Amino acid sequence: MNEIKKIAVLTSGGDSPGMNAAVRAVVRTGIYEGYEMVGSLRGYHGLISGDVVPLHSRSVSNIIQRGGTILKSARCKAFYEKEGRKKAYDKMQSMGIDALVVIGGDGTFTGAKEFGKEFGVPIVGLPGTIDNDLFGTDYTIGYDTAVNTVMEAVDKLRDTAYSHDRLFIIEVMGRDAGFIALRSGIATGAEMILVPESPTYIAELLYMLEKDWKKNKTSGIIIVAEGDDSGGAMKVEREINDHFPDYETRVSILGHIQRGGSPSAMDRVLASRLGNAAIMTLKEGVSGVMLGLIDNKIEMTSFEKSIKHHQYINLELLDIARVLAI
Ligand code: ATP
């Protein structure tokens, strides 16, 4: 590996709260360690088009508390092709950029893995997604904030559910993973939590409503992960209405409010630790890895592994949630 002098940081894929805190930590640690720091705007787009800005210590002032990403994020189609990646490499060469820190999800790391292999560019990745679905870390940057956002929304909906004796069916994000649903469901005392990792049988759901819930409760909350095999909150509501026409139900699909907002303390600290470690990892000459926090220790996982393996939810928590909802 050639000596690294100039490092670019970028955010790619969906934005998540805490990305800014990570950018700040990368930039300030980089400057502290004597590197020249720049930011590639709109993910890999910036590398291809040369849309790259210098980043100083003051460029990242006052951003630790802001959601989204000051570097903007985008999906960059050209980077899927070798030709696009070659353009990015040529541009990097012409701008004197020697290494990259990429913050994003598994797509971002797949691109980084290819790019590193093809052109020998040193790259370190940080897990930035609200979905928590990345192998190699207990928590991704943004997940805790998203769970807290859902929790606050559900608490508010529960006030109405209680006051009007209604059953609220609330759909939350997470793509094909149930992390947000499970954690927010436990935190809000949801009566039922439907996640993709555990098959949902409508008949069983109706049975539980009939036996356990209808007799004891007049209002309730069902949390449905967007990727659950029930087909989503609207479908679940239809099934319930078909079988229990006397229930008053409402659906709430929380949507993109879950992606934004000021990051929680946990996300800010996680992002700060990982951002700092990204620079130290490059300094040590290590590349092609995602950094994560496992049992409160910073650990490296190769891009290869982090992409290939899945992060599994703790299904025991589902059982606990059922017990606590009686
Ligand atoms: P999120 O979890 O929020 O979706 P992500 O990083 O998985 O984040 P993607 O849109 O899948 O989001 O990927 C981000 C970018 O990474 C893509 O727009 C593309 O530029 C690059 N990328 C993704 N997959 C590949 C691939 N197979 N080869 C090269 N580049 C890729």
Side-chain angles (χ1 to χ4, degrees):
M1 208 187 284
N2 293 330
E3 199 201 342
I4 296 172
K5 292 192 183 114
K6 190 170 177 179
I7 301 172
V9 55
L10 61 83
T11 49
S12 163
D15 66 316
S16 71
M19 278 183 162
N20 280 328
V23 168
R24 170 181 177 271
V26 169
V27 169
R28 292 202 170 158
T29 308
I31 290 166
Y32 182 85
E33 293 295 331
Y35 297 110
E36 185 181 347
M37 299 301 299
V38 293
S40 167
L41 300 183
R42 296 177 181 81
Y44 293 120
H45 267 304
L47 293 184
I48 293 173
S49 62
D51 212 358
V52 169
V53 293
L55 292 173
H56 309 290
S57 189
R58 296 281 75 73
S59 322
V60 291
S61 294
N62 206 20
I63 65 166
I64 194 169
Q65 76 279 22
R66 281 173 59 191
T69 160
I70 59 159
L71 296 178
K72 311 251 182 170
S73 190
R75 321 261 179 202
C76 173
K77 274 201 184 140
F79 208 74
Y80 285 89
E81 309 299 329
K82 185 160 184 187
E83 205 185 318
R85 294 194 293 271
K86 172 84 170 67
K87 275 189 191 157
Y89 179 68
D90 291 343
K91 218 30 164 216
M92 275 178 68
Q93 292 284 92
S94 72
M95 292 185 290
I97 298 168
D98 307 302
L100 291 177
V101 176
V102 298
I103 306 167
D106 54 1
T108 301
F109 301 148
T110 307
K113 184 190 80 158
E114 289 305 311
F115 195 48
K117 230 172 35 191
E118 285 163 354
F119 302 102
V121 177
I123 312 175
V124 167
L126 301 183
T129 166
I130 63 166
D131 302 331
N132 208 43
D133 57 351
L134 287 172
F135 181 80
T137 189
D138 292 342
Y139 302 105
T140 56
I141 298 165
Y143 168 61
D144 183 66
T145 306
V147 168
N148 278 289
T149 301
V150 171
M151 185 180 74
E152 281 172 28
V154 174
D155 286 350
K156 287 175 180 145
L157 293 169
R158 199 184 265 286
D159 289 347
T160 302
Y162 174 82
S163 305
H164 288 269
D165 292 331
R166 281 179 191 157
L167 178 62
F168 266 83
I169 302 136
I170 303 167
E171 189 172 299
V172 303
M173 280 183 165
R175 282 194 305 196
D176 49 5
F179 289 96
I180 294 177
L182 180 57
R183 204 165 174 86
S184 63
I186 289 182
T188 55
E191 273 65 26
M192 282 180 202
I193 305 170
L194 310 184
V195 294
E197 292 84 350
S198 167
T200 297
Y201 303 108
I202 293 293
E204 189 189 349
L205 184 139
L206 297 172
Y207 175 82
M208 282 161 74
L209 279 177
E210 177 72 34
K211 290 281 172 203
D212 299 338
W213 188 75
K214 200 176 170 191
K215 287 201 178 111
N216 297 316
K217 302 192 181 189
T218 57
S219 67
I221 300 286
I222 300 179
I223 303 272
V224 186
E226 65 181 344
D228 183 63
D229 59 3
S230 58
M234 302 290 262
K235 184 101 186 294
V236 170
E237 185 192 38
R238 273 201 300 278
E239 294 282 357
I240 293 171
N241 288 342
D242 285 351
H243 289 84
F244 306 109
D246 51 325
Y247 275 20
E248 220 192 301
T249 56
R250 291 289 184 278
V251 165
S252 181
I253 297 173
L254 297 186
H256 278 79
I257 60 159
Q258 296 162 89
R259 281 253 293 264
S262 182
S264 65
M266 185 170 150
D267 274 327
R268 295 183 200 192
V269 174
L270 175 68
S272 300
R273 288 180 70 182
L274 294 181
N276 172 265
I279 294 295
M280 304 319 286
T281 304
L282 284 171
K283 190 180 173 188
E284 283 162 21
V286 180
S287 168
V289 294
M290 182 199 89
L291 301 183
L293 208 63
I294 300 174
D295 292 337
N296 206 23
K297 280 204 199 85
I298 292 172
E299 304 282 355
M300 293 179 212
T301 304
S302 68
F303 285 143
E304 189 102 34
K305 254 188 164 177
S306 78
I307 297 157
K308 198 166 145 202
H309 295 284
H310 284 286
Q311 176 80 323
Y312 293 102
I313 65 168
N314 181 355
L315 287 171
E316 277 173 25
L317 291 179
L318 259 191
D319 296 333
I320 293 173
R322 279 194 197 115
V323 171
L324 300 186
I326 57 170

